[in-house]
Amino acid sequence: MILPIVAYGDQVLKKKAVDIDKDYPELEALINNMFDTMYEANGVGLAAPQIGKSIRLFIIDASPFEDKEPDLKDFVQVFINPIIVEESGEEWSFNEGCLSIPSVREDVMRKPKVLLRYYDENFEYYEEEFEGLAARVIQHEYDHIEGKLFTDRLSSFKRTLLKGKLNDISKGNVEVDYKMKFPKK
Ligand code: NI
């Protein structure tokens, strides 16, 4: 089932999300719905707050980045209750977008390596290191469950330039070809 994606300006995107346990109601259906929703919108990642649920869960399918990093061909994963233990390396720039902020793309600086503790959809525990674009997508989605957006990582100058556009998005004044929920519409 395809769910509406919450747009910029909604308070749920600013909230720090909470951990869940394996008894979370209809978790499997929720994860399936999140994959349907992400694929419908041609995204490479989707975090639960983006469908209105303030819980620490995100999904990733980075296979569209296969041309840039062949290893990502099969990078399809569910992350539950993740914790970034450490980020390391020299910050690098990558042009990011977000399904909650359609039509906005900006270069964002982040570190290239991330050590992550998380559970998968079967509540198996992992501690794993990711790098490059895998790390990048994880950091972007992780920000969502911390109540942060990539626009929060831009310079105040860039944020000022984007202000009108972001306000338009929150009102639904934006061209988008997937289902969204706009807070000020
Ligand atoms: Ni996003």
Side-chain angles (χ1 to χ4, degrees):
M1 185 170 72
I2 291 161
L3 307 166
I5 295 177
V6 169
Y8 181 91
D10 194 308
Q11 287 307 310
V12 73
L13 297 176
K14 294 188 137 190
K15 259 168 75 176
K16 192 176 155 94
V18 298
D19 280 345
I20 58 170
D21 59 31
K22 50 169 87 92
D23 299 323
Y24 189 83
E26 302 191 52
L27 182 59
E28 197 183 334
L30 173 64
I31 290 168
N32 288 335
N33 291 343
M34 284 177 65
F35 272 106
D36 290 347
T37 303
M38 179 180 74
Y39 289 133
E40 172 71 11
N42 292 315
V44 293
L46 185 71
Q50 293 182 277
I51 48 105
K53 290 199 185 300
S54 191
I55 56 174
R56 295 179 77 81
L57 159 65
F58 59 78
I59 59 164
I60 288 176
D61 182 343
S63 57
F65 289 140
E66 188 195 348
D67 55 332
K68 294 187 179 80
E69 288 180 20
D71 286 356
L72 295 177
K73 186 164 75 85
D74 306 308
F75 189 59
V76 183
Q77 240 175 284
V78 176
F79 296 86
I80 294 172
N81 302 344
I83 295 171
I84 289 184
V85 182
E86 195 183 13
E87 291 174 296
S88 58
E90 190 89 0
E91 287 197 346
W92 66 297
S93 169
F94 184 74
N95 196 252
E96 293 187 23
C98 180
L99 295 177
S100 292
I101 319 175
S103 82
V104 173
R105 298 199 70 91
E106 291 291 341
D107 290 341
V108 180
M109 298 290 288
R110 297 186 195 268
K111 290 183 176 171
K113 269 191 195 171
V114 54
L115 179 62
L116 193 75
R117 290 182 186 148
Y118 66 97
Y119 295 84
D120 69 7
E121 64 275 32
N122 303 311
F123 272 83
E124 303 281 342
Y125 175 76
Y126 300 85
E127 181 173 300
E128 200 175 347
E129 189 166 71
F130 298 90
E131 49 186 309
L133 281 173
R136 174 65 63 153
V137 181
I138 286 169
Q139 288 160 321
H140 177 111
E141 300 311 324
Y142 188 84
D143 270 358
H144 276 299
I145 60 170
E146 290 287 305
K148 248 183 248 166
L149 298 170
F150 80 87
T151 46
D152 297 324
R153 296 190 173 272
L154 304 174
S155 67
S156 58
F157 175 69
K158 270 209 173 136
R159 277 207 307 272
T160 305
L161 291 181
L162 280 174
K163 216 174 167 185
K165 207 168 178 184
L166 293 173
N167 197 32
D168 276 346
I169 291 170
S170 67
K171 290 186 204 153
N173 299 329
V174 63
E175 195 89 30
V176 63
D177 59 5
Y178 47 88
K179 202 162 40 151
M180 289 196 84
K181 189 179 148 236
F182 301 98
K184 293 192 193 161
K185 198 168 177 174

